[in-house]
Protein backbone atom coordinates (compact mmCIF):
# COMPACT_ATOMS: atom_id res chain seq x y z
CA UNK A 1 0.00 0.00 0.00
CA UNK A 2 1.13 3.53 -0.76
CA UNK A 3 1.85 5.98 2.05
CA UNK A 4 -0.29 9.09 1.83
CA UNK A 5 1.61 12.34 2.05
CA UNK A 6 0.28 14.62 4.74
CA UNK A 7 -0.38 18.21 3.62
CA UNK A 8 2.50 20.39 4.75
CA UNK A 9 0.19 22.73 6.70
CA UNK A 10 -0.83 19.84 8.96
CA UNK A 11 2.58 18.40 9.87
CA UNK A 12 3.82 18.37 13.45
CA UNK A 13 7.45 18.72 14.36
CA UNK A 14 9.33 17.37 17.36
CA UNK A 15 9.83 20.66 19.21
CA UNK A 16 6.29 20.95 20.60
CA UNK A 17 4.99 22.82 17.56
CA UNK A 18 2.28 21.99 15.04
CA UNK A 19 1.42 23.77 11.82
CA UNK A 20 -2.19 24.09 10.77
CA UNK A 21 -4.99 26.38 9.70
CA UNK A 22 -6.57 28.77 12.21
CA UNK A 23 -10.34 29.17 12.44
CA UNK A 24 -11.52 32.03 14.67
CA UNK A 25 -14.98 32.19 16.29
CA UNK A 26 -17.17 35.28 16.67
CA UNK A 27 -16.13 35.43 20.34
CA UNK A 28 -12.46 35.81 19.37
CA UNK A 29 -11.01 32.45 20.38
CA UNK A 30 -10.10 29.89 17.77
CA UNK A 31 -9.00 26.42 16.81
CA UNK A 32 -6.04 25.25 14.76
CA UNK A 33 -6.87 22.28 12.57
CA UNK A 34 -3.77 20.08 12.60
CA UNK A 35 -2.88 16.44 12.07
CA UNK A 36 -4.54 14.32 14.73
CA UNK A 37 -7.07 16.90 15.81
CA UNK A 38 -7.78 20.48 16.72
CA UNK A 39 -6.02 22.77 19.20
CA UNK A 40 -7.83 25.48 21.16
CA UNK A 41 -6.31 28.99 20.99
CA UNK A 42 -7.52 31.71 23.37
CA UNK A 43 -8.06 35.21 21.97
CA UNK A 44 -5.03 36.32 24.00
CA UNK A 45 -2.78 33.76 22.27
CA UNK A 46 -3.44 34.68 18.60
CA UNK A 47 -0.19 36.68 18.12
CA UNK A 48 -1.72 38.71 15.29
CA UNK A 49 -3.06 35.71 13.37
CA UNK A 50 -6.42 35.98 11.63
CA UNK A 51 -9.11 33.57 10.51
CA UNK A 52 -7.88 31.26 7.75
CA UNK A 53 -4.16 31.88 8.31
CA UNK A 54 -1.75 28.97 8.37
CA UNK A 55 0.12 29.21 11.66
CA UNK A 56 2.87 27.57 13.67
CA UNK A 57 1.39 26.69 17.05
CA UNK A 58 3.28 25.95 20.27
CA UNK A 59 1.46 23.27 22.20
CA UNK A 60 0.75 24.17 25.84
CA UNK A 61 -0.75 22.39 28.84
CA UNK A 62 -4.50 22.43 28.50
CA UNK A 63 -5.75 21.88 32.03
CA UNK A 64 -7.78 18.79 31.15
CA UNK A 65 -10.01 20.46 28.54
CA UNK A 66 -8.34 19.04 25.44
CA UNK A 67 -5.37 20.23 23.44
CA UNK A 68 -4.42 23.91 23.48
CA UNK A 69 -1.71 26.13 22.06
CA UNK A 70 -0.33 29.60 21.39
CA UNK A 71 0.30 30.96 17.91
CA UNK A 72 4.07 31.25 17.49
CA UNK A 73 4.01 32.82 14.02
CA UNK A 74 1.92 33.19 10.90
CA UNK A 75 3.30 30.88 8.21
CA UNK A 76 0.97 32.10 5.45
CA UNK A 77 -1.73 34.78 5.44
CA UNK A 78 -5.11 33.78 4.03
CA UNK A 79 -6.06 37.37 3.20
CA UNK A 80 -3.84 40.21 2.05
CA UNK A 81 -6.43 42.89 2.76
CA UNK A 82 -8.02 43.69 6.14
Amino acid sequence: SKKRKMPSHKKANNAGFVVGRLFVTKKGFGFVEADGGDYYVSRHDMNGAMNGDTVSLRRVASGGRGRAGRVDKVVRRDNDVL
Side-chain angles (χ1 to χ4, degrees), residues 16-47:
F17 289 90
V18 292
V19 176
R21 190 155 186 208
L22 175 66
F23 297 94
V24 181
T25 68
K26 289 179 183 178
K27 293 186 178 183
F29 62 88
F31 296 91
V32 171
E33 184 182 273
D35 183 44
D38 296 342
Y39 290 81
Y40 168 80
V41 181
S42 84
R43 63 188 182 98
H44 303 290
D45 293 329
M46 295 287 180
N47 197 18

Side-chain angles (χ1 to χ4, degrees), residues 1-5:
S1 76
K2 265 187 162 180
K3 272 191 171 182
R4 282 186 7 180
K5 265 194 158 181

Side-chain angles (χ1 to χ4, degrees), residues 40-71:
Y40 168 80
V41 181
S42 84
R43 63 188 182 98
H44 303 290
D45 293 329
M46 295 287 180
N47 197 18
M50 296 183 285
N51 189 56
D53 289 349
T54 300
V55 299
S56 173
L57 184 82
R58 177 181 285 279
R59 293 179 283 186
V60 297
S62 57
R65 301 180 91 188
R67 291 179 283 205
R70 277 189 200 106
V71 174

